[in-house]
Amino acid sequence: MTKKILTLRRGATAGTRSERRVREILHIAREVFAEKGFEKATTSEMAQRLGVSEATIFTYFGSKRELCMEVIKGWYEGMNKDLEQEVPLITGIRAQLHFVIRKHLKYLLEEGTGLCSLVLSEGRNIDEEFMSLIADLKRQYTAPFMHALAVARDSGQIRSDIPLRLMRDMVYGSMEHILWGRIVTNHAVDIDLVANQLSDVLWSALISPDRSVERLMQFRSEVADALQRIKEE
Amino acid sequence: MTKKILTLRRGATAGTRSERRVREILHIAREVFAEKGFEKATTSEMAQRLGVSEATIFTYFGSKRELCMEVIKGWYEGMNKDLEQEVPLITGIRAQLHFVIRKHLKYLLEEGTGLCSLVLSEGRNIDEEFMSLIADLKRQYTAPFMHALAVARDSGQIRSDIPLRLMRDMVYGSMEHILWGRIVTNHAVDIDLVANQLSDVLWSALISPDRSVERLMQFRSEVADALQRIKEE
Amino acid sequence: MTKKILTLRRGATAGTRSERRVREILHIAREVFAEKGFEKATTSEMAQRLGVSEATIFTYFGSKRELCMEVIKGWYEGMNKDLEQEVPLITGIRAQLHFVIRKHLKYLLEEGTGLCSLVLSEGRNIDEEFMSLIADLKRQYTAPFMHALAVARDSGQIRSDIPLRLMRDMVYGSMEHILWGRIVTNHAVDIDLVANQLSDVLWSALISPDRSVERLMQFRSEVADALQRIKEE
Amino acid sequence: MTKKILTLRRGATAGTRSERRVREILHIAREVFAEKGFEKATTSEMAQRLGVSEATIFTYFGSKRELCMEVIKGWYEGMNKDLEQEVPLITGIRAQLHFVIRKHLKYLLEEGTGLCSLVLSEGRNIDEEFMSLIADLKRQYTAPFMHALAVARDSGQIRSDIPLRLMRDMVYGSMEHILWGRIVTNHAVDIDLVANQLSDVLWSALISPDRSVERLMQFRSEVADALQRIKEE
DNA sequence: AATGAATGAGCATTCATTCAT
DNA sequence: CATGAATGAATGCTCATTCAT
């Protein structure tokens, strides 16, 4: 869309002047959307914080809606980059689960809950397109974890009687619910503690019941039988 | 002030004329708020759908915000009445878990998810008072389940190393996430299937690990030791 | 306008039930108009304070405007009754001036400044008819004093080179200005002190200059001449 | 913020486009406020008369209230500029009194009396801040005259037994009352005639009675005594 | 006589968006 | 490229007034 004329990169603010502008606008827009939500965020506030005129924003983004989509896209992309690289480097589904949980909690807390709620429920009030964009991004975001789950399931490390999607929903849903509760009541969240507890419980839910409890229970009864036989000898 | 002339109740239209109006307005308002969210819902649309003037709405409700609060209150109250009565009648935490999950999924699906998202994330855009009202209602709504959890934990049926709050968040969070995904992608939800699967997985997460895996694992090593000793004899 | 069926008088609340109602409404309306001014006064507040429905007010008064006119009429009539009786009983324009000033200050202060400002400047925003009603009432109200002035002028007690109207404007205008200033700045007004000072200054302005200063000055020069002649003798 | 490109002043249309707009809006707003009073004046009427949209008005003024305050400020400032410069140039309190009276009458008549009543009594219906703004402006407006009065009193030209404030109230109050009467009855006002008469009467009120009447009266009685003594010789 | 209920007509204010310069 | 200026289209809310009962 926007013409990208690559020039010599100068430090972190590299790129054409117009590329810098786009970045600046996205930066501030993310702040404002996060603070106020879509409806209450105003282009005029963004312009003011940037020290430019409102019209400038519309030079680079066709509409408030488009700008917001770009912001959300950027947010997910930032998160994705980390995850896609790091998750595969971790060995063992158990460790991956813990990593993904910790990372997600951290992301959500960093951005307040602003973008989070934008993504969670405001999208619906805006647009069909908006909603499906978010759905796409979300799918992409959870892809590394879904892949890890698939691998673990195929190797019998986690139970196979439950759809992966359901597992994913449990993992991410739990986190979102936790954060909402804490934020509404203004409680601080101890990321490490919550990540440990949560990955612990969720792990119990995911491991193949046949590989743990049930198998062990069967083992116990076998042993009991054996003991019985020994005694009877 | 308002004379309450009790007449024979005839279905949903019983009560004073003004009581009927209040009910009508709440009914339509719930629809509109659910469809559009708080900001995009307009009093004028509600009036139009009702076939009355906007002013009539303001005769019965002081403000859009107040009307919305009343709508949410009504929604929760409807749900609460069922739960408070029925949950205690069910025996066994396992069955209670399944019941609560099935009921919650049904409630959410019935209302679109409109009110759900209103409650989940829009509150913040409105008011502190609004937010704390919702927090209260939510607490009340999950109270029966929380009580059941507490009883189960005290009798050692479920693990005690994890805060109840976290369990609750897992249960409700999972459901909300599931619904969001299904609705965004327009997939139908098989309530019974999902309820079974979900309560199954969540159950694995909640049962005392010390009463199952870990205790059994310890048992196994004891047996192994015993066997060793027997062999050495 | 309103049918006045005279029945047996019962104390201060005498009259038909409808006459009592009219009186009650006027009483409350005066309060509300005085507190809020015409525009900000609402019929609904009056109804509430009276504990009746808004419609009741409109049963007795055709419109808010009409009600307000009636209120003002009543206010002036109350003041007039006193003045018309008492002013003629006082002897001497000087004493009459003092009496009128003191009475007027007291009236205005009693009613806050509410009705005063209604009369002073809000009338204009309402209606031509309203304005001329007020003008009439005002003329009637100042009539006793104007009459006293006329008598005094004819007997040469006060100067005749200035229209009586101007004198009246000085007297009443001064008072209104004083009150406004004091009320805006929230200063208390010492009625007696102000009445004394004001009637004192205004008296200086009204007395025939030829009967006082100038005549005396002439007298002084005549005396000076006489003395001169005596000395020369 | 607003670039102030100074161009050659061409009459009333000089300045930036936005400066012109501000001036235009203030001009029309003064008209409308004067005609209708604060409550009945509508931003939509102003916009219509200007041939712009309502939004344009709110681009330049944050609210109706702010606009009104600006209008009143402008009105007073216009009047003040003249008075502050001219009053000190006039010699003699008597001449100053006449000048101030004439000027004030002229100002009030020019503006209908609309703004006058706005200032006189509507302030109270708007705001505490509004009221104190008006009080400030009023004080500033009468400052030159008050100063002149103080000087005159110190040099014994006018009586010192009456607070200056009371004198000021007499002067301005008289005028306001006069104008009200004339406008309500639709009588034309002959500014010069009224100014002459009024300054004449007010002058009689202000001059030191001890320097005139009373001292002379005392002188008369002394002379009378002297004559008596002479006769008795 | 009294009123519960309903409303039409308005109002100040907001904001994303456009466009000439 | 940047923006100052302007605005159309809404929106929540108020209130005097009407009228059937």
Side-chain angles (χ1 to χ4, degrees), chain C residues 172-185:
Chain C
Y172 289 98
S174 300
M175 281 190 275
E176 274 154 18
H177 213 262
I178 286 167
L179 288 177
W180 266 114
R182 299 300 183 283
I183 280 141
V184 167
T185 56

Side-chain angles (χ1 to χ4, degrees), chain A residues 38-100:
Chain A
F38 182 78
E39 298 292 344
K40 287 209 162 179
T42 65
T43 53
S44 97
E45 178 166 0
M46 297 174 198
Q48 223 163 11
R49 291 202 197 177
L50 271 165
V52 301
S53 92
E54 272 187 84
T56 303
I57 293 174
F58 284 90
T59 306
Y60 292 93
F61 297 90
S63 68
K64 184 186 176 185
R65 187 180 139 280
E66 189 188 305
L67 173 56
C68 185
M69 283 174 62
E70 242 27 77
V71 163
I72 291 177
K73 231 193 280 194
W75 185 51
Y76 269 114
E77 270 164 17
M79 301 197 299
N80 280 349
K81 219 189 297 176
D82 290 353
L83 280 182
E84 278 171 3
Q85 289 177 352
E86 301 179 47
V87 170
L89 299 181
I90 297 165
T91 46
I93 179 68
R94 174 75 226 246
Q96 286 168 332
L97 175 68
H98 185 270
F99 178 82
V100 163

Side-chain angles (χ1 to χ4, degrees), chain C residues 15-232:
Chain C
T16 315
R17 197 191 320 176
S18 107
E19 284 178 331
R20 266 203 300 281
R21 263 286 135 88
V22 167
R23 238 178 289 130
E24 283 167 15
I25 295 172
L26 283 171
H27 183 71
I28 293 287
R30 181 192 283 202
E31 270 181 31
V32 178
F33 280 127
E35 285 173 29
K36 309 281 178 90
F38 182 78
E39 299 290 344
K40 286 208 164 180
T42 65
T43 51
S44 96
E45 179 166 0
M46 296 172 197
Q48 223 164 12
R49 290 202 197 178
L50 271 165
V52 301
S53 92
E54 273 187 83
T56 302
I57 294 175
F58 284 90
T59 306
Y60 293 94
F61 297 89
S63 68
K64 184 185 174 185
R65 186 179 140 280
E66 190 186 304
L67 173 55
C68 185
M69 284 174 60
E70 235 38 66
V71 163
I72 291 176
K73 228 191 281 193
W75 185 50
Y76 269 114
E77 269 164 16
M79 300 197 301
N80 279 350
K81 219 188 298 176
D82 289 354
L83 279 182
E84 279 172 2
Q85 290 176 354
E86 302 180 46
V87 170
L89 300 181
I90 297 164
T91 46
I93 180 66
R94 173 77 225 244
Q96 286 169 330
L97 174 67
H98 185 271
F99 177 83
V100 163
I101 286 174
R102 210 181 159 289
K103 202 91 184 179
H104 190 64
L105 284 174
K106 237 185 97 208
Y107 279 139
L108 294 192
L109 282 172
E110 264 167 11
E111 207 68 51
T113 41
L115 291 181
C116 182
S117 82
L118 211 62
V119 162
L120 270 177
S121 57
E122 284 198 81
R124 160 190 75 107
N125 299 327
I126 305 175
D127 221 54
E128 279 292 327
E129 194 190 343
F130 206 113
M131 252 172 69
S132 70
L133 167 74
I134 289 174
D136 274 359
L137 291 168
K138 225 166 181 169
R139 198 175 314 122
Q140 208 181 324
Y141 172 61
T142 57
F145 179 56
M146 287 297 268
H147 180 71
L149 278 180
V151 169
R153 188 191 51 190
D154 291 345
S155 67
Q157 291 173 276
I158 60 171
R159 54 198 296 177
S160 58
D161 58 336
I162 294 288
L164 295 185
R165 243 180 15 210
L166 197 87
M167 296 186 182
R168 179 202 58 195
D169 289 329
M170 270 183 60
V171 173
Y172 289 98
S174 300
M175 281 190 275
E176 274 154 18
H177 213 262
I178 286 167
L179 288 177
W180 266 114
R182 299 300 183 283
I183 280 141
V184 167
T185 56
N186 247 329
H187 281 38
V189 179
D190 178 337
I191 294 189
D192 284 308
L193 177 64
V194 171
N196 285 335
Q197 292 182 326
L198 197 57
S199 65
D200 196 32
V201 201
L202 285 169
W203 179 243
S204 324
L206 301 188
I207 45 174
S208 307
D210 57 289
R211 284 179 55 98
S212 54
V213 192
E214 284 169 25
R215 184 170 282 185
L216 283 167
M217 281 167 121
Q218 193 190 347
F219 170 69
R220 182 171 62 179
S221 57
E222 285 170 5
V223 171
D225 290 349
L227 282 175
Q228 194 64 28
R229 281 196 299 277
I230 290 171
K231 279 184 184 164
E232 287 167 1

